[in-house]
Amino acid sequence: MVLSSPHSPRLKYLSLGVLVLQTTSLVLTMRYSRTLKEDGPRYLASSAVVSAEVLKILACTLLVFMENNFSVRLLKEEIVNKPLETMKLAIPAGIYTLQNNLLYVALSNLDAATYQVTYQLKILTTALFSVSMLGKRLGFYQWLSLLVLMAGVTLVQWPTESEGDSEQKILTAGSQFVGLMAVLMACVSSGFAGVYFEKILKETKQSVWVRNIQLVYFS
């Protein structure tokens, strides 16, 4: 059912605000947790990734149960009885797992602002994979926007000179390169996995929650 026009713009702006808050708080929290000085050993990035996937599968399972009057029949039919359909999600699941681990590597070696801006290159990779895999067409202004995005990311990486930070730059040059390579690989993997997942969703009639359960299962 379509929402009434007075409430629709409010819902859009509210969704945008929640998305911005979630994205920025996630990056800042991850960066703080990876750079916090502590006496004991730091937590494993893989443990954080697995914990997030466990929460995802619990949330998606709950939503599927609510949509089907808390019956497990749908999950059995769509996941257990259709192993080939479930196996299709193994490829994007592996790529998403790699991407999530790369993000922790990137945030361990880059400041939050540089990471956040550089990671927006996933918009470019997603657009390129959409054109090549889904046959989408982009207009002139869309391509222009992508070029502006690339220019912005390039300017963020442009070296700056200031007194007293030469030694610090020498000490952190290697780690910054590692962080940059990690975030660039994450952008490519994010673009490919996102388009691949979208392609699977369009080719089948399964709900997005069931597909997410299959995705998280392999992750």
Side-chain angles (χ1 to χ4, degrees), residues 80-94:
V80 179
N81 296 339
K82 296 181 180 179
L84 293 180
E85 288 295 322
T86 303
M87 286 298 297
K88 290 181 179 179
L89 277 298
I91 295 176

Side-chain angles (χ1 to χ4, degrees), residues 50-64:
V50 171
S51 299
E53 297 301 321
V54 170
L55 292 177
K56 285 180 185 179
I57 197 170
L58 291 176
C60 291
T61 303
L62 178 61
L63 290 170
V64 171

Side-chain angles (χ1 to χ4, degrees), residues 70-197:
F70 295 93
S71 173
V72 298
R73 183 172 59 87
L74 178 65
L75 291 178
K76 183 178 179 181
E77 291 178 355
E78 298 295 341
I79 299 178
V80 179
N81 296 339
K82 296 181 180 179
L84 293 180
E85 288 295 322
T86 303
M87 286 298 297
K88 290 181 179 179
L89 277 298
I91 295 176
I95 297 175
Y96 274 130
T97 303
L98 172 64
Q99 170 201 336
N100 291 332
N101 282 278
L102 286 173
L103 295 184
Y104 279 93
V105 175
L107 276 170
S108 300
N109 296 279
L110 294 174
D111 61 273
T114 302
Y115 161 85
Q116 188 72 295
V117 175
T118 307
Y119 191 48
Q120 299 313 307
L121 279 177
K122 66 181 180 179
I123 300 175
L124 173 63
T125 59
T126 302
L128 294 177
F129 283 118
S130 296
V131 171
S132 60
M133 296 175 61
L134 300 179
K136 291 186 176 181
R137 294 184 178 180
L138 302 180
F140 171 77
Y141 289 106
Q142 291 173 315
W143 284 113
L144 182 62
S145 300
L146 293 175
L147 290 176
V148 173
L149 173 64
M150 291 181 60
V153 173
T154 303
L155 290 176
V156 169
Q157 304 299 331
W158 195 268
T160 57
E161 295 291 340
S162 60
E163 296 181 1
D165 66 345
S166 299
E167 182 179 355
Q168 181 181 3
K169 288 171 63 178
I170 294 174
L171 293 175
T172 61
S175 61
Q176 287 180 351
F177 177 78
V178 171
L180 181 59
M181 290 298 102
V183 75
L184 290 178
M185 291 176 61
C187 289
V188 175
S189 60
S190 174
F192 177 79
V195 174
Y196 187 95
F197 187 52

